[in-house]
Amino acid sequence: MRLISWNVNGIRAAMKKGFLDFAKAENPDVLCVQETKMQEGQAEVSLEGYHQYWFSAEKKGYSGTAVFTKEEPLSVSYGLGIDAHDHEGRAITCEFPDFYLVNVYVPNARNELKRIDYRMSWEDAFRDYVKEIEKNRPVVICGDMNVAHEEIDLKNPKSNRGNAGFSDQERGKMTELLGAGFIDTWRYFNPELAGVYSWWSYRGNARVNNAGWRIDYFLVSRSLEKRLAAVDILTDVMGSDHCPVVLEIK
């Protein structure tokens, strides 16, 4: 089973830059997108053979997630079931026969960590949520998690220490999530590989210079370890400031 996750930074803009061609060429079983920046119905996303599930932010043109899946899920739920966290379209859970898939767009702590308190609250609620559903079956988490976990996960760790996405607080919450029983699949297969990133700032020719961050993930419950087949980060795919990440499971 081939799963792809991509922060498209506006799906309407991405469709003008080859999103549909990419999806058809890659032909994944499941395609999860973040930062859709649209309400369902504002644009037609024509992907034949896929069931579509959208969770848009109440604020138009902001945040939002969507899942495109060939296999119809047993059930689909939106958000974490907590009102304080469910107005920005940040999480969709699809129940399949042998695992849950959670597509997530984790809140950004913002410049000067202006939203760090909310981010910490979200992190705790999200961890509790995935551990609760994991009681029923294993969990696959994918999406833009807005944190580079370790120094190897970004080009310039020293100058970015304490900035949004590389603060001690955010990194600590990722450590807690992994410690709660999840595997960072990219590091599972590539424990010491540096220089492969999933996001680049639009400033300063960052992508040309590969001054990037790895902030897009596939995490899986430890019980799925033996089913991990392959991972990839499609750094050559353009159309967003992020690139797609891939997981293949048996």
Side-chain angles (χ1 to χ4, degrees), residues 20 29-30 41 84 88 92 135 139 182 199 204 206 208 211 236 250:
L20 294 176
D29 296 287
V30 183
E88 297 182 352
I92 301 176
K135 293 176 181 177
V139 177
F182 290 94
W199 174 79
V208 172
D236 291 337
K250 302 171 187 174

Side-chain angles (χ1 to χ4, degrees), residues 6-25:
W6 191 8
N7 179 322
V8 293
N9 193 12
I11 197 164
R12 287 171 290 181
M15 285 195 291
K16 297 176 182 177
K17 301 174 184 176
F19 172 79
L20 294 176
D21 290 338
F22 165 82
K24 291 171 184 175

Side-chain angles (χ1 to χ4, degrees), residues 40-212:
E40 184 177 5
Q42 279 190 299
E44 182 180 357
V45 182
S46 300
L47 284 178
E48 188 176 350
Y50 287 88
H51 302 275
Q52 300 188 18
Y53 303 95
W54 294 78
F55 189 32
S56 301
E58 292 177 3
K59 178 182 177 181
K60 291 185 177 180
Y62 178 73
S63 188
T65 47
V67 175
F68 304 86
T69 172
K70 291 181 178 179
E71 179 181 347
E72 185 175 6
L74 301 174
S75 69
V76 180
S77 59
Y78 301 91
L80 306 182
I82 300 172
D83 184 68
H85 298 308
D86 289 349
H87 295 273
E88 297 182 352
R90 292 191 176 274
I92 301 176
T93 301
C94 295
E95 179 186 8
F96 293 105
D98 51 356
F99 66 90
Y100 286 105
L101 174 67
V102 181
N103 176 27
V104 65
Y105 178 35
V106 173
N108 192 306
R110 295 185 180 168
N111 291 340
E112 300 179 357
L113 303 183
K114 291 178 180 177
R115 214 183 186 198
I116 192 66
D117 291 343
Y118 176 71
R119 170 68 177 265
M120 295 298 97
S121 173
W122 162 275
E123 292 278 4
D124 291 339
F126 183 73
R127 188 177 62 254
D128 289 346
Y129 171 77
V130 294
K131 290 304 292 183
E132 182 63 29
I133 64 173
E134 192 185 39
K135 293 176 181 177
N136 298 316
R137 64 196 66 191
V139 177
V140 175
I141 302 167
C142 72
D144 175 0
M145 304 193 76
N146 260 317
V147 62
H149 185 218
E150 302 290 356
E151 291 192 356
I152 194 174
D153 294 315
L154 73 167
K155 180 69 175 290
N156 297 306
K158 290 183 179 179
S159 61
N160 280 293
R161 176 79 182 272
N163 289 342
F166 199 60
S167 67
D168 292 349
Q169 299 98 308
E170 293 162 298
R171 296 170 66 195
K173 290 300 182 185
M174 176 59 83
T175 298
E176 286 186 47
L177 181 57
L178 296 175
F182 290 94
I183 296 170
D184 176 352
T185 59
W186 175 259
R187 284 289 161 232
Y188 179 83
F189 285 100
N190 305 283
E192 298 179 4
L193 181 60
V196 182
Y197 309 118
S198 65
W199 174 79
W200 304 261
S201 170
Y202 280 133
R203 301 174 183 173
N205 291 319
R207 192 156 189 172
V208 172
N209 297 322
N210 197 31

